[in-house]
C-alpha cells in the first residue's frame, strides 16, 4: 500500500533502538525524510546510516529529549515537520510506597510533559499548513495497569487525558493525534524488565521470558517492525479520520470486549 506520505518530514524522538527505531524504519520505507534523536550518539548514528540506505534524508541529533536543553536542540534541527512521533525511555519499576515527589516529577517530565512540549512546539506549524500527524508511544499500562510500573501508569494516564481533549481541538485543522500502546515487545526495555523478574524470582532469562509470553494470547512478544508498520499507517494519508484513539498492540493481552 502506498501510504501517500513520500517526501513528508518527520521527527521521531528516542529512535536509535526498539519501538522508536521501528517507527523510523517504517516511515523511511514510506519515503519520509527523518530527524531522529536519542542520547547515545554512536547507536543513533548507526541507525541513521541504516535509514539513509532506504533512500531518505536523515538528521540525527544526540540529546536527552526529556530536558528543555535537549528538546531545544532537537526542535532547532527539526524545523517544521509534518509528522511527530514522541517516545522516551520508560520509568523504572518499583513499589508504590517508595516513590518520592522527585521520582514522580522525573516520570511526568519524561512521559507526559515532554510529549506535550513537543506537540506544543510543532503542531502550530502543522495547523498553519493544514496537515499533520502525531503519534505518541505510550503503553498498554494505560488500559491494564502494571503495578510495579506505577510511575509509568501515572505519567502516561496524564498524557492520555491531554491527548483526548486536544486531538478534538486540532482535528478540524487537519492534524490528528493518536496514541500507540505497546504491550510486551522484543526490545532492550523488555530485556531489562525480564532481568528484573529473573533476579526477583530466581528464574533464568529464558524462563522469565516464557513466563511473560504465556500471559499473552498470541504467546509471543511483539516486534518493532510490527509496531512501526502501525505507526506509519497512523501517519499516512489514509488515517485522517482516526482521531484521539488509544490503539493497543499487545497480542490480545488486554482482556476487554471493547
Ligand atoms: P528501548 O528498546 O530501551 O529503546 C529506547 C530508545 O529510546 C533508545 O533509542 C534510547 O536511546 C532512547 N531514549 C531513552 N531515553 C531517552 C531520552 N531521555 N532522550 C532521548 N532518547 C532516549 O525501549 P522500547 O522498548 O523501544 O520502549 C519505548 C517506549 O515504549 C518506552 O517508553 C517504554 O517504556 C514503552 N513500552 C515498551 C514496551 C516493550 O515491551 N518494549 C511495553 C510498554 C511500553 P539512548 O539510551 O541512547 O537515549
Amino acid at each position: 500500500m502506498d501510504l501517500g506520505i513520500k517526501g513528508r518530514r518527520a521527527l521521531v524522538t528516542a529512535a536509535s533502538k526498539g519501538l522508536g527505531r521501528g517507527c523510523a524504519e517504517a516511515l523511511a520505507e514510506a519515503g519520509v525524510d527523518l530527524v531522529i534523536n536519542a542520547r547515545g550518539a554512536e547507536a543513533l548514528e548507526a541507525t541513521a546510516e541504516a535509514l539513509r540506505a532506504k533512500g531518505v534524508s536523515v538528521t540525527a541529533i544526540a540529546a536527552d529529549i526529556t530536558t528543555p536543553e535537549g528538546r531545544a536542540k532537537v526542535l532547532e534541527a527539526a524545523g517544521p515537520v509534518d509528522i511527530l512521533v514522541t517516545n522516551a525511555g520508560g520509568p523504572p519499576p518499583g513499589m508504590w510506597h517508595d516513590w518520592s515527589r522527585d521520582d514522580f516529577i522525573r516520570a511526568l517530565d519524561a512521559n507526559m510533559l515532554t510529549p506535550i512540549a513537543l506537540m506544543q512546539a510543532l503542531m502550530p506549524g502543522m495547523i498553519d499548513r493544514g496537515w499533520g500527524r502525531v503519534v505518541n508511544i505510550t503503553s498498554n499500562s494505560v488500559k491494564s495497569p502494571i503495578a510495579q510500573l506505577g510511575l509509568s501508569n501515572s505519567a502516561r494516564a496524564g498524557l492520555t487525558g491531554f491527548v483526548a481533549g486536544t486531538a478534538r481541538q486540532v482535528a478540524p485543522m487537519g492534524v490528528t493525534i493518536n496514541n500507540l500502546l505497546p504491550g510486551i515487545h522484543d526490545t532492550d526495555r523488555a530485556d531489562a524488565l525480564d532481568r528484573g523478574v529473573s533476579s526477583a524470582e530466581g528464574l533464568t532469562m529464558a524462563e522469565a521470558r516464557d513466563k511473560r509470553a504465556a500471559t499473552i494470547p498470541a504467546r509471543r512478544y511483539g516486534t518493532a517492525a510490527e509496531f512501526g508498520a502501525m505507526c506509519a499507517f497512523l501517519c499516512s494519508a489514509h488515517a485522517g479520520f482516526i482521531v484521539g484513539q488509544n490503539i493497543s498492540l499487545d497480542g490480545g493481552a488486554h482482556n476487554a470486549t471493547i
Side-chain angles (χ1 to χ4, degrees), residues 14 16-17 19 38-40 64-65 87-90 156 182-183 185 187 189:
S16 67
K17 297 178 189 165
L19 304 179
R39 290 164 305 179
D64 183 340
I65 200 65
N87 186 31
R156 297 187 199 280
H185 281 72
T187 67
R189 165 84 172 167

Side-chain angles (χ1 to χ4, degrees), residues 13-22 37-44 47 61-67 74 86-91 110-111 114 137-141 146 149 152 156 180-193 212 221-222 224 227 249:
T13 64
S16 67
K17 297 178 189 165
L19 304 179
R21 177 174 175 156
N37 147 263
R39 290 164 305 179
E42 203 177 315
L44 182 66
T47 298
I61 306 294
D64 183 340
I65 200 65
T66 67
T67 64
V74 170
T86 76
N87 186 31
N111 298 111
T114 290
I137 300 180
T138 67
S139 172
N140 222 31
S141 68
I146 303 169
L149 292 180
S152 167
R156 297 187 199 280
L180 264 187
L181 283 52
I184 301 170
H185 281 72
D186 197 1
T187 67
D188 289 358
R189 165 84 172 167
D191 272 355
L193 293 175
R212 281 218 295 163
Y221 288 10
F227 192 89
L249 293 176

